[in-house]
Amino acid sequence: MHDPRLTPARGDIAARYLEGKVAAARFVEGETFEVIDALAPLRQGPAANAEQMTQALRGESVTVYDRNGEGFAWGQLESDGYVGWLPDAALGKPGMPPTHRVIASRTLAFPGPSIKLPPVETLVMGSQLAVTREHGAFAITREGWHVPKPHLAAIGYRESDFVAVAERFLGTPYLWGGKSSLGIDCSGLVQVSLNAAGIGCPRDSDMQQDGLGKLLSTTESRTLRRGDLLFWKGHVAIARDADTIVHANAHHMATVIENTRDAIARIEAGGSALAAIKRL
């Protein structure tokens, strides 16, 4: 059974690499594009009010397999394999390959070498940029944007503590399908934080429970370590230490730090028992 979230296949069309594995009326090669908006919603259907399943960040590669002729493209993200509908206007032809990525929770891009100029864009953590040169305190991108150098790092840079990355999102509003400091959900927080540390991570909490780390035994789970992942049905949190977690959640409608026992009891009272604890 193929997961539709990760399989670019419909009854009428599918990716060429799936030929012989799925049924479809036709198979196509697809065309590579780059996300040119700061954030692009990837939706379940080709409509602005369709459910946002995740977001693509500026500089991400997308393979497009279909367009509906009404402003939406259907494709697959290269980063985590997620499939869905993106706004056509958010995509462009690939340019100079990215050299840097944003490591601040968010930053501003200016049209020239002065912070007094009106910013041309707000960029979020994980966005990828092609830097052509530097000028004083700024890195200059292929678009001519001036981005503060302390907010960028080379593509190969890895954070040493993914939990500390997650903690930078404290107070961020909860947003279903969100992946930035403008709005984030529980599994988005885990994915963005692990990616910043150079660790590959699936998008949704059920995928993360299945694909990340080692399942702790009942005895092992009595003493949580920093970086352990706690899973409920449809939810995930990150252990900060033996007693507290950081998680984006709809109860607080924000990313918060919470006492672990209190959170487990609260969520269980709402009808969902703790399902698993995984250690990376």
Side-chain angles (χ1 to χ4, degrees), residues 213-261:
K214 170 199 148 196
L215 182 66
L216 296 190
S217 66
T218 303
T219 303
E220 291 171 319
S221 64
R222 288 183 188 138
T223 306
L224 293 179
R225 294 182 192 168
R226 186 173 178 85
D228 287 346
L229 299 176
L230 291 77
F231 291 95
W232 295 260
K233 182 176 174 58
H235 187 59
V236 60
I238 305 167
R240 297 175 65 244
D241 50 39
D243 301 307
T244 61
I245 56 174
V246 55
H247 60 149
N249 66 91
H251 176 77
H252 297 93
M253 284 307 293
T255 299
V256 300
I257 291 172
E258 194 171 1
N259 176 272
T260 306
R261 288 184 181 178

Side-chain angles (χ1 to χ4, degrees), residues 59-218:
E60 276 200 71
S61 290
V62 182
T63 303
V64 170
Y65 296 102
D66 188 28
R67 283 189 162 84
N68 73 342
E70 298 178 359
F72 285 90
W74 182 72
Q76 184 171 34
L77 303 183
E78 183 181 292
S79 58
D80 60 16
Y82 222 105
V83 175
W85 292 90
L86 294 151
D88 247 331
L91 305 176
K93 289 290 189 181
M96 175 182 168
T99 59
H100 290 70
R101 60 184 174 87
V102 176
I103 57 172
S105 60
R106 58 185 177 271
T107 190
L108 299 172
F110 299 92
S114 171
I115 59 172
K116 296 180 181 179
L117 294 169
V120 293
E121 188 61 276
T122 300
L123 300 166
V124 300
M125 181 184 292
S127 300
Q128 300 178 71
L129 302 169
V131 171
T132 58
R133 60 193 178 92
E134 296 182 357
H135 182 275
F138 296 96
I140 303 175
T141 71
R142 70 183 187 213
E143 298 87 359
W145 296 349
H146 289 60
V147 182
K149 288 196 294 189
H151 291 175
L152 301 178
I155 285 287
Y157 174 78
R158 302 290 181 259
E159 297 279 357
S160 59
D161 180 2
F162 86 91
V163 184
V165 177
E167 290 168 339
R168 294 184 210 163
F169 287 85
L170 290 176
T172 297
Y174 180 85
L175 175 66
W176 183 268
K179 278 183 60 172
S180 83
S181 59
L182 301 172
I184 202 162
D185 66 13
C186 64
S187 54
L189 180 68
V190 171
Q191 187 185 50
V192 168
S193 302
L194 284 173
N195 286 172
I199 301 169
C201 179
R203 176 58 180 93
D204 293 342
S205 60
D206 63 323
M207 301 175 184
Q208 293 169 356
Q209 182 177 337
D210 290 342
L212 294 176
K214 170 199 148 196
L215 182 66
L216 296 190
S217 66
T218 303

